[in-house]
Amino acid sequence: TAAAAEATVAVATNFLVPLRSLSEEFAARTGHSLRISSGSTGQLYAQITNGAPYDVFLSADAARPRRLEEAGATLPGTRRTYALGRIVLWSAEPDRVSAGGARALRTLGDGKIAIANPEVAPYGVASQEALERLGFWEPFQDRLVRGINVAQVFQFIGTGNAAMGFIAMSQLAGRPKGGEGSIWIVPPDLHDPIRQDMVLLERAEGNEAAFAFLDFLASPEVLARIESFGYSAPTN
Amino acid sequence: MPAAENPAAPRLEANLRLDRGDFRLEASLDARLSGVTAVFGPSGCGKTTLLRAIAGLEREARGRIAFDGTVWQDDRTFIPTRERRAGLVFQDARLFSHLTVRGNILYGHRRTPADERIFQPETVIRLMALEPLLGRRVSSLSGGERQRVSFARAVLATPRLLLMDEPLASLDQDRKEEILPFIERLAGELAIPTLYVSHEIDEVVRLASDLVLVSDGRVVASGPIEEVSNRFDLRSYAGRLDAGSIIRMRVAGHDEETGITRFAFAGGEVIGPRVDLPEGAAINLRVRSRDVAIALDRPGRTSILNVLPGRVVEIGPNDGPQAHVLLDVGTALWARIMRRSVNELELRPGRPVYALIKAVAVDRRSLGRPTAMDLSLEERDAAPPDGRR
Amino acid sequence: MPAAENPAAPRLEANLRLDRGDFRLEASLDARLSGVTAVFGPSGCGKTTLLRAIAGLEREARGRIAFDGTVWQDDRTFIPTRERRAGLVFQDARLFSHLTVRGNILYGHRRTPADERIFQPETVIRLMALEPLLGRRVSSLSGGERQRVSFARAVLATPRLLLMDEPLASLDQDRKEEILPFIERLAGELAIPTLYVSHEIDEVVRLASDLVLVSDGRVVASGPIEEVSNRFDLRSYAGRLDAGSIIRMRVAGHDEETGITRFAFAGGEVIGPRVDLPEGAAINLRVRSRDVAIALDRPGRTSILNVLPGRVVEIGPNDGPQAHVLLDVGTALWARIMRRSVNELELRPGRPVYALIKAVAVDRRSLGRPTAMDLSLEERDAAPPDGRR
Amino acid sequence: MPFDFEPLWLSIELAAITVAILLAVGTPIAWWLARTRSRLRVAVEAVVALPLVLPPTVLGFYLLLMLGPGGPLGGLLLSVTGSSLTFSFEGLVFASTIYSLPFVVQPVQGAFEAVGRGPLEAAFALRARAFDAFFTVVVPMARRGFITGGVLGFAHTLGEFGVVLMVGGNIPGETRLISIAVFEHVETLNYPAAHALSATLLGFCFLVLLTVYAVNRRFPVHAGR
Amino acid sequence: MPFDFEPLWLSIELAAITVAILLAVGTPIAWWLARTRSRLRVAVEAVVALPLVLPPTVLGFYLLLMLGPGGPLGGLLLSVTGSSLTFSFEGLVFASTIYSLPFVVQPVQGAFEAVGRGPLEAAFALRARAFDAFFTVVVPMARRGFITGGVLGFAHTLGEFGVVLMVGGNIPGETRLISIAVFEHVETLNYPAAHALSATLLGFCFLVLLTVYAVNRRFPVHAGR
Ligand SMILES: Nc1ncnc2c1ncn2[C@@H]1O[C@H](COP(=O)(O)OP(=O)(O)OP(=O)(O)O)[C@@H](O)[C@H]1O
Ligand SMILES: Nc1ncnc2c1ncn2[C@@H]1O[C@H](COP(=O)(O)OP(=O)(O)OP(=O)(O)O)[C@@H](O)[C@H]1O
Ligand SMILES: [Mg+2]
Ligand SMILES: [Mg+2]
C-alpha cells in the first residue's frame, strides 16, 4: 500500500527484548520499520516532555502515558495497555522458594530479599503489595534491598548477594535456561495489575508506521507472543 | 672608552619604583651604555629586580624606562619584553626542561629574523664547548654546563641590550677566560650594550667600562669604572672593588724568545706577558693599585721589569693602614701602599718617584686572546639566511 | 696543618664508579680530612656527582666509601644519607618552597638530638644576617639570600662531614668575608671536615688546607694545597690555581699608629696589615707567587716593606714566558717572575737573592677577623637543649 | 546478533571530540585560574568542580531542561539554528563537555602552577610571542597535566552513560553509545554480550592508555635528580 | 514530606571516608608510579585508569560478582567475617574507592613528579627519615595535587550513583545516598523535591570547595616569579 515508513519507539527496558523480537515480525508483516530507544520509564518521560523525537512510547507503567495524555502531548485515543506484568519470587538456589507463599518467604532467615524500588518501579510496587498481603512487609524491612528496577534485582539474586527476590516473569522467560534456581509465580491477586501502557506521541501524527504498530500490538497473534515473553495479555 | 664619554652609545634612562614587601626598589639611572656596564652591589640589594624591571618582567614597576630613544615604559606605555629585545641570562639558568640542549640554544635564534642575526649557532656552540651536549636533556647538565647553555641561548636571539645576572658564577677559570673575551666583543665591536651583574671583582674590572653601584634598592652611583671605584665617598659601597688603572696603549713590539710584549704609552713603555696582537694595535691594559710599588731611587738588579718615572699627584684620605696614591707617570696610575711607607718615603704631591710594576701583574684588559669568536666575525657576512639544522 | 699530616683527622676513602650516559665517574680518593678540602676541577668534570655519591645520593654508584672508620658503602652495605650525617649545601640551594626561611633553617636542627647540636640557631642566623628574612617565603629571596639560607640550614643539622657545592657563588665580597671565617672554624676548631667545591681560586686558596683535583671524572691528585698546586706535572689540571706559599708565623707585635702587624718566622720578620690577634698567636700567612719579586741588591727607599734575604732553591721547568722560582728565605717561598728576569739576573740554584713583598700583599690565610662566630663558640656549652622558637 | 561496532565507534568519536573541546576550553580556564590573583578565582574553581557532584542522571535531567526547546539555552538555539541540542550527537558533546570539565581543568591547572612563571619569562626574553611561548614552552612543560586531564576526560566520557542517556535518548547510530549498549545488555540480562562489549571497551582503552603513558614516559618532564 | 537529611549525611560520610581511604591508598601508588623505573609502571598506570571506562552500572555489576558470596573476594570475606560486603556501608566504601581511585592517583602522581627528587634529597641530608621527609617535604610541596585529587574524589563519590546503587541495595539509613534520593525524585516526577535536594547538595559542595580552594590559595606552593 503506502511507502515504507519508520517509527521511533521509546521503550521501557523491561520490554526491550520482546520488542526487538517483535519488530522483525512487524517489519516483515507491514514493511515499516522501527527505531528503538530504551531507557527507564522516568527517563523516557522526561525526555518526551523535553522534545525527544519519539513516535511511540511503551511505558512500564500506566501513570506516565496518562500524564502525557493529560498534558496533550499524545495523539488522542491512542493510549492503551499493551501488556500486564507478572512478578515471580526467584531464588538462585534450587527448591528454595518452590513451596511458594509464606513458606518460601520464611526460609529467608538472615538473608536479603530484593525488590525493585517501589518509589520508581511498578514492579516494585507490586512486589511490595505482595509482601504486604502475605504479612512480610514489616518483618522484612531490615532485610530488604531495593534495586533500581527488576533487572538489578535479578543481578542481586543471580550473583547470590540476595537470597531471593521479586522479579518480572518476563526476565526468566527471556532466558534460554529460565529454570535455574527456583521460582514461585506470584498469583495476580496478591498485587494490583501491573499495567504497561503505550501511547502514540504528537510527533507520530501522520506516521503510518506508528499507527500500524499500534494495531500490530493489539493483534491476537502478537498478544500471544507477548504472553510467551512472560506477560499477561491485557484484558481491555 | 667608557660609555659616558661616547655620545653615540645608546642611552638608558630608568626611573623605577617597585614595592615588594619590606623591600623598595627606587632606582634612577641615566647612562650611555656601550660595552659592558657592571651592576655591583651586595646580595639582596635589588640587582636582579632592577634587571627584570628593565627587561619588562616586572609589570608592577612604576616609572619610566627609555632605551636608545624609544620609550619602553611610562605611565601610558608598556612595551612587552620581546619587543624590548632585551636578552636575559637569568641567575638560575631557567632552561626549558622539555627541550634538548640544542632546542634550548636555538629557541631564540629561530625566532630571530634572519637579517637580524649576528651569529651562527655553530660559532657560539663551539665557543661554549657545547657540541658534546647538544643532544642531551638539560636535566643531566652540570651547573656550569647550564650556565653556558643559558648564555648561548640569550646571545643567539641577538638582543639589543643584554642583561646578564651572574652568568659565569659557576664556571671555572679556564672556561671564563674563553667566554669573557666573547662578552667583551659582543659589547664592544658588535655594539650590544650589556648590563652585567657580578660579584666577581676580577670579572667586573676586566669586563666593564662603566659601573652602576646599587645599594638597598637605590642606584648610588654610575659612571666610568675607574672613576666610581676610586671615588673615596663611595668606598663603603664599592667595598673591595679595586679597579686600579686602565691605561690605553699600543703594542710596540714582541720578543718571541722571552714571551714578552712591549706596550707603548704616553709615559714610555711597559713590559707584560705576550699578547697575540699585531704591532701597532691598540689595547687597554690594567694595572691594579695593589701591584704598584713606589720607590724614590731607581732600583738595581731586580725582577721588577717595569720602572716608570713620574711624580705623586695626590694621596687619598685616610683609609685605614693603607693609602691610595695617585701617580702621574705620563698617565694616571694608582698605587696602594701602606700608610707607613707614605710617611717613611715622605710622599706628598709633586714628589718625583718611580712606580714599580712586575711584568706578570700587567693584565690585558680587553681584546682577549683569539677564540672561536674571531671566526664568528668573519662568518657574519657570509652567514646563510637560516641557521636551522 | 694540612690534613694529610694530621693522623687524628678522619679518613675518607672512596673508590667509586658511576656511569651516566657518556660520562663516567671513576674516582679514587684516600684522604685524611681536617679543615677544608677543596674540590677543584673544570665545569662538568664530576665534582657534584662525586659529592652526591659520597653523601649517598647516588644509589647507582658502585664501589666503596668509608669515613672515619665506618664503611658507608660497599658491595653489601649502603648506609643511607641521613645516617652518614653528611651535610650538603647544594649548588642550586634546593630550599623547601612550602616553608618560610625560619622553617627551612630549623628543619635539620629540629631533627638533631639536642646533645649533638653545636650551634644555636640565633648564632647562625645572626652571622648570615638572616634575621630580617626569617618570616619570608623562600620564593621571594634573592640569589644570595637563598645561598645563605641553604648554608645555615646545612650547618644547623650539625653534620659530621660537610659537603659544599659552590656555596658562596652568588655572594658579594663583604658577605663572603663574613662567612669564610665561619667555614674555617667549622672545619678547624669544631673539626667538621669539609669538602668544598669552588671555582674561586681566592676562596680555595684561602680556605683549603688540602686540595682534590678532579678531571674528567677522575681524581687526578689530592694532598696539601701548596704541594698540589705547585706540582709542575699538575699544571694542566690546576690551571691558574696560584696558591703561593703558606707560611706559619707568630704575631710579633702591632704598630697601632700605622695599622701594621709584624709577624715572626724562621727567616725573620714580615710586615702586613693589622690582624686582631694577641702577640704570640700563631697564624698562617699566604704570599702569592705573583706578588714576590726578586732582587740581587737590597733595594733603596721604596714602599716595598718586606725585603727577605735568601737564596734560589729551584727554578721550575719551562712554563711559557713566566717562571716559578722556589726561594729559601728561612722558609720556602715561591716567586713567579718573567723568564727574561731569570736570564737577566742569572738566577740559578744557590744564588743569594732578596725576596721583595709589598706589605699589602700579605694575606692572613685563616683565623679571620672576629665575627658572630666567636660568640657562637662561647654559647656552645651554655646552649639550652632545644633551640626551637 | 553480530557484534555491533557502531556504538563503539560512536563512543570513541564522542570521547575524542569531547577531549579535544575540553582541552580547548579547559586550557584557558586552567591558565586563568593558575595565573589570576582575582578574588573570583576561588569561586570559579568551585563552580568548575560542581558538575561532578550531581548524579549523572540528575545532571542529565537538568541539562535536558536547559537544552530542551523550553529551556533557556535550548530555546535560544532553537530560534537561531532551528534545532535544540537534545537528542543529537552535538548535544552529547555538549553534555559530556560540561560533565568532564573538572577532570581536565584541575590537573592542567595544577601543572600550570607547577611550571610557574619562570619559563614563560625566559621565552619572552627569547623573542617568543605570548601564544608562541605558551604552546612551545608552557604546554610541553605542563604535559603531564594535559595527559592526566585528557585521560581522565576520555575515559570518563567513554564510561559515562547517565548523562548521555538522558540528553541523547539512546538513538541508534546517533546517540547510542557503547556505555549505553553495555548498560542495555546488562539490563536485559544479556550477560555474555555485556561481558564481550565490556572486554572490548576495556581492551581498547587499555591499549590507548598504554600508548599514552608509554609515549609520555619517554619524555619525562622533570629532572630526576 | 519533611526534608530528609539522612541521605545527605550518609553521602557526606561516605565521601569523606572514601577520600580518606583514597588518599591513604592512592598516595603510595602515586608515589610508586612517580618514582619507579619499572616497566610495569605503564601497565599499572593504565590499570588504575580503567575503572573509569566502564559504565557505573556495569562496574557495579562486576563488583557485585566479585563481592558476592560466590565471588573471590566476597567468599573470602564471608568465611572470615561472616558477611560479605554487599548491601552495607562498608561495601559502598569499597566500591567508591575502586571507582574513584584514578581521580586521586593521577593528580597526586603528577604533583609528585613535579616536585622531583631534589627536596627529598635535601631533607635526607638534613637528617630526616624517609617517612618524615615524605610528610614534611614532599606532601606539602605536592599539596595542589592532593587537593585536586581530594576534590575530584569527594565530588565524584557524592555524585556517583550507578555503582553505589548496585552494590548498596538502597537501604535507608545504610546505603541510601543522596544521589539515589535525587534520582528517585526525578524518576517519580517529584521535581520540586529533586530541585530542593540538588540545590542543597550543590550548595553544600560549593561551600566545601570554596573553603578548600580559599585555604589552598593562601599557601601557594610555587614561586610566582
Ligand atoms: N645522563 C647523562 N648523560 C651524559 N652525561 C651526563 C648525564 N648526567 C650527567 N652527565 C655529565 O656528568 C658530568 C658531571 O656532572 P657534574 O654535575 O658532577 O659536574 P660538575 O663537576 O659539578 O660541574 P659544574 O662545575 O659545572 O657544576 C657532566 O659533564 C654532565 O654533563
Ligand atoms: N615579597 C617580598 N617581600 C619582601 N622582600 C622581598 C620580596 N621579594 C623580594 N624581596 C627582596 O628584594 C630584594 C631584592 O632582591 P633581588 O633578587 O633583586 O636581589 P639581588 O640584588 O639580585 O641579590 P643577589 O645578589 O643575592 O641575587 C631582596 O632583599 C629580597 O629579599
Ligand atoms: Mg640576584
Ligand atoms: Mg656541579
Side-chain angles (χ1 to χ4, degrees), chain B residues 19-25 39 41-52 58 91 165-166 197 199 214 216-217, chain C residues 132-133 136-137 139-148 170-172, chain E residues 225:
Chain B
D19 281 308
R20 268 280 166 65
D22 302 336
F23 176 79
R24 162 171 297 177
L25 181 77
V39 179
S43 167
C45 70
K47 304 179 295 296
T48 299
T49 312
L50 177 64
L51 257 59
R52 286 173 53 83
E58 296 287 357
Q91 204 165 1
D165 206 349
E166 308 192 34
V197 172
H199 292 296
V214 182
D216 205 11
Chain C
L133 307 179
R136 288 257 296 277
R137 306 197 58 77
S139 60
S140 73
L141 298 182
S142 80
E145 288 163 349
R146 280 163 192 274
Q147 281 196 325
R148 275 141 66 198
S170 30
L171 290 183
D172 55 291
Chain E
R225 37 187 288 187

Side-chain angles (χ1 to χ4, degrees), chain A residues 15-79:
Chain A
F15 201 69
L16 177 61
V17 174
L19 180 64
R20 282 222 176 102
S21 137
L22 290 173
S23 74
E24 285 161 26
E25 249 173 272
F26 173 69
R29 196 188 300 180
T30 65
H32 300 306
S33 62
L34 300 179
R35 272 217 300 179
I36 300 171
S37 286
S38 74
S40 79
T41 300
Q43 217 163 33
L44 295 174
Y45 174 85
Q47 290 172 345
I48 289 164
T49 55
N50 282 285
Y54 302 142
D55 299 305
V56 185
F57 178 34
L58 297 185
S59 175
D61 66 358
R64 274 169 271 219
R66 192 176 59 242
R67 281 181 78 150
L68 285 174
E69 191 177 79
E70 284 162 12
T74 65
L75 299 183
T78 56
R79 180 166 65 89

Side-chain angles (χ1 to χ4, degrees), chain B residues 142-143, chain C residues 48 91 165-166:
Chain B
S142 79
Chain C
T48 299
Q91 204 165 0
D165 206 349
E166 307 193 31

